[in-house]
Amino acid sequence: MDVSTTLSRLGNAASSFLAGKHQLFIDNQFVDAKSGKTFDVFEPSSGQMIAKVAAADAADVDVAVAAARRAFETGPWSKMVPAERGKLMNKLADLIEANADELAQIESLDNGKPVTFARFIDIGGTIDMFRYMAGWATRINGETITPSIPGDWHVYTLREPVGVVGQIVPWNFPLAMASWKLGPALAAGCTAILKPAEQTPLSALRLAQLIQEAGFPPGVINILPGLGETAGAAIAAHPGIDKVAFTGSTEVGKLIVQAASGNLKKVSLELGGKSPVVVFPDVDMARAIPGAANGIFFNSGQVCTAGSRLYAHKKVFDRLVEGVAAEAAKIKVGPGLDPATQIGPLVSQEQLERVTGYIAAGRRDGATVVTGGKRLGDDGYFVQPTILADTNPNMSVVREEIFGPVICAIPFDDDDLDRIAREANATSYGLAASIWTTNLGIAHKMAKRIKAGSVWINTHNMVDPAVPFGGYKQSGWGREMSHNAIDLYTETKSVFASL
Ligand code: NAI
Ligand code: MG
């Protein structure tokens, strides 16, 4: 497929954005990188280059940190009352909504995902997140406390913004991930330096234009596209940054922790997963089959909570696997901007090689390919929805995050919930799990036994701005969304007054 077909599907607004210059956004100005360097952005259904984007490195991070520090300490942002911050955030949400179709096209073009999903899930979710967090701006309060120390006291806490924050986001939900990071930081009164992923920097740069249009003061939000090893590493290590928030691979999460130790900046991490989908014999098959299929194939499996291990009781295993295979065969795989597409290509050549490499390793290790298993076509980064069976717990396809449309189907022949949970929990990750049963007791007993930040009952991949989200074990540190996200961006100060 040629890139011109995809480009011809863009509306005028997205086309003219794409044709423009793609620079860094620092102190409310669009500027080139100091080095003059750029990096190339590729369109995933053709593999062809569509844009050159300014590549920030350490020198640009220095300038952005200085701007963010000024805005935080002395700029208009530092004097703004909470309601004004909330108002700006709502204005930004309104502008995103007014430009939602264009943003969805940009997201689909850059990431490869189906444009209708981009519109409702990515862009819709971004709008919801900014509005939800805008409401928090006026609700961040301390408390008064009665101490037991003899004497007359007035003791209270203040909740203060943590300061200048660095935010590094991945490519699977580019704009939505930016909103998960920026929303609570702005509500809390922080200033931010956001680095989008090098695979998908475009929607964040369109967001930068809307930030300017909304009227945020200079330096409050700085957007620095660039490579992980340069711009990302400089943010993680910067002594002028008070907190770093990261979503991405567990491997890079560990590097962030090390880099952050220089000034002991606060760290929050949303990392990988290998989430189990646990199916009991009393399941409602009409829900479980599409549920399990969606749980792994949605967004081409490039979801940190993807249900990548299908654990099903022997009594329902065959029917379930046949059902999911039939769903897989029905899915229309195609370019994101084709309105008929249900799943798009993977994001990059690197991910294509990674996912097909895992499938090959699974075959070598003796797994059976029930359906799929191949790259689709010669252009772009398409992979068939794939089910592997006859796996064992030592195989890399069972242990490691594949981050593609690949599920391992594993039967269990047991009624002991502790043993089932032990198997479901047998991973270094702990991001999410789903439980499929019509028995209320089993559902909630299993929910307790699962070691993961999100447990879904008869559903999968559900998130909401009001519900905490994050990981146990090596899936991360801290919780985003809800009041938990505000905690990540505030310090608590205790004040003792001896009266
Ligand atoms: P990655 O972790 O390298 O990239 C995520 C972000 O971190 C990007 O913005 C990148 O530029 C930045 N980054 C990379 N190296 C950095 C460094 N040394 N210091 C600071 N920032 C750095 O993920 P990648 O390589 O794109 O994907 C590899 C695997 O990671 C995927 O196959 C998947 O398993 C996992 N992943 C998980 C995500 C999640 O949502 N939890 C999202 C993206 C990837
Ligand atoms: Mg990487």
Side-chain angles (χ1 to χ4, degrees):
M1 145 140 263
D2 194 78
V3 72
S4 58
T5 315
T6 292
L7 295 178
S8 71
R9 289 184 169 123
L10 293 176
N12 290 338
S15 289
S16 70
F17 171 78
L18 183 66
K21 262 191 112 175
H22 305 293
Q23 294 170 293
L24 315 180
F25 181 66
I26 301 177
D27 219 8
N28 271 11
Q29 307 285 328
F30 286 94
V31 294
D32 287 329
K34 279 187 173 298
S35 67
K37 284 190 186 148
T38 60
F39 62 92
D40 294 343
V41 177
F42 300 90
E43 191 275 307
S45 66
S46 63
Q48 290 173 34
M49 206 258 278
I50 47 166
K52 283 192 177 301
V53 173
D57 65 20
D60 306 291
V61 173
D62 283 342
V63 180
V65 170
R69 178 59 62 189
R70 227 170 19 248
F72 181 75
E73 302 290 350
T74 55
W77 187 247
S78 65
K79 295 173 195 75
M80 221 175 246
V81 297
E84 274 183 274
R85 285 205 308 275
K87 205 167 155 187
L88 277 175
M89 293 172 70
N90 275 317
K91 178 101 183 274
L92 180 60
D94 291 347
L95 287 170
I96 295 168
E97 194 165 50
N99 295 280
D101 291 337
E102 178 196 346
L103 282 162
Q105 289 168 20
I106 292 170
E107 205 73 314
S108 172
L109 175 75
D110 210 1
N111 167 281
K113 65 177 67 202
V115 67
T116 38
F117 289 1
R119 172 65 188 83
F120 291 103
I121 292 161
D122 295 78
I123 313 306
T126 298
I127 297 163
D128 291 346
M129 179 60 77
F130 277 119
R131 289 194 176 135
Y132 172 84
M133 286 296 168
W136 267 109
T138 50
R139 288 161 180 77
I140 303 171
N141 295 308
E143 52 189 352
T144 59
I145 299 162
T146 309
S148 297
I149 311 164
D152 211 355
W153 296 96
H154 177 44
V155 179
Y156 59 93
T157 59
L158 294 172
R159 302 284 302 283
E160 297 178 345
V162 74
V164 174
V165 303
Q167 307 184 309
I168 301 170
V169 295
W171 41 261
N172 51 344
F173 297 92
L175 195 68
M177 288 296 110
S179 75
W180 287 31
K181 298 280 180 282
L182 290 173
L186 297 170
C190 295
T191 57
I193 292 132
L194 175 88
K195 193 195 86 62
E198 53 269 48
Q199 295 82 357
T200 56
L202 297 178
S203 58
L205 293 176
R206 182 69 183 99
L207 180 72
Q209 296 176 343
L210 299 178
I211 286 164
Q212 219 177 21
E213 195 178 332
F216 280 89
V220 173
I221 306 164
N222 305 276
I223 296 184
L224 266 63
L227 306 183
E229 302 73 46
T230 51
I235 290 170
H238 204 288
I241 292 181
D242 302 301
K243 178 209 158 51
V244 62
F246 171 76
T247 298
S249 61
T250 298
E251 176 198 354
V252 173
K254 291 177 183 177
L255 295 176
I256 303 272
V257 170
Q258 286 166 13
S261 73
N263 69 337
L264 283 177
K265 58 173 67 66
K266 312 290 184 252
V267 180
S268 55
L269 305 168
E270 299 288 357
L271 308 174
K274 192 73 184 176
S275 299
V277 175
V278 188
V279 183
F280 287 90
D282 58 20
V283 68
D284 175 357
M285 275 291 180
R287 292 181 68 172
I289 289 169
N294 250 314
I296 186 64
F297 300 135
F298 165 63
N299 215 42
S300 308
Q302 303 169 125
V303 181
C304 49
T305 52
S308 50
R309 292 180 296 145
L310 181 62
Y311 275 112
H313 193 280
K314 272 227 159 89
K315 284 186 188 149
V316 289
F317 183 82
D318 288 344
R319 265 205 298 149
L320 186 69
V321 171
E322 272 165 35
V324 176
E327 293 278 324
K330 270 197 308 210
I331 293 173
K332 173 107 182 44
V333 182
L337 281 157
D338 180 340
T341 291
Q342 292 171 308
I343 81 169
L346 298 176
V347 73
S348 64
Q349 180 69 31
E350 191 185 342
Q351 289 305 115
L352 174 68
E353 285 166 15
R354 187 185 159 101
V355 172
T356 52
Y358 270 113
I359 296 170
R363 282 184 209 269
R364 264 200 314 277
D365 294 344
T368 306
V369 177
V370 177
T371 184
K374 291 201 199 73
R375 180 181 178 185
L376 268 171
D378 302 321
D379 302 323
Y381 316 130
F382 296 96
V383 173
Q384 290 176 324
T386 299
I387 304 177
L388 302 178
D390 304 316
T391 60
N392 71 56
N394 299 320
M395 292 182 184
S396 62
V397 287
V398 174
R399 284 199 332 267
E400 295 169 21
E401 180 173 58
I402 299 175
F403 228 60
V406 183
I407 191 166
C408 295
I410 305 160
F412 62 83
D413 191 8
D414 204 333
D415 296 309
D416 182 276
L417 297 186
D418 287 324
R419 279 197 300 262
I420 296 167
R422 206 171 307 135
E423 214 177 329
N425 289 330
T427 160
S428 57
Y429 295 112
L431 196 56
S434 60
I435 298 160
W436 298 80
T437 175
T438 51
N439 181 316
L440 275 175
I442 289 180
H444 295 292
K445 281 181 189 166
M446 275 302 288
K448 273 195 187 170
R449 283 166 172 76
I450 293 286
K451 291 188 166 63
S454 294
V455 175
W456 296 299
I457 297 170
N458 295 325
T459 185
H460 199 99
N461 280 342
M462 284 299 137
V463 295
D464 183 279
V467 182
F469 180 87
Y472 281 41
K473 298 193 268 181
Q474 295 192 33
S475 289
W477 288 357
R479 295 290 178 273
E480 297 190 300
M481 325 279 252
S482 77
H483 61 88
N484 286 262
I486 300 298
D487 293 348
L488 297 179
Y489 292 94
T490 50
E491 293 276 20
T492 300
K493 179 182 287 172
S494 299
V495 182
F496 284 72
S498 172
L499 301 178

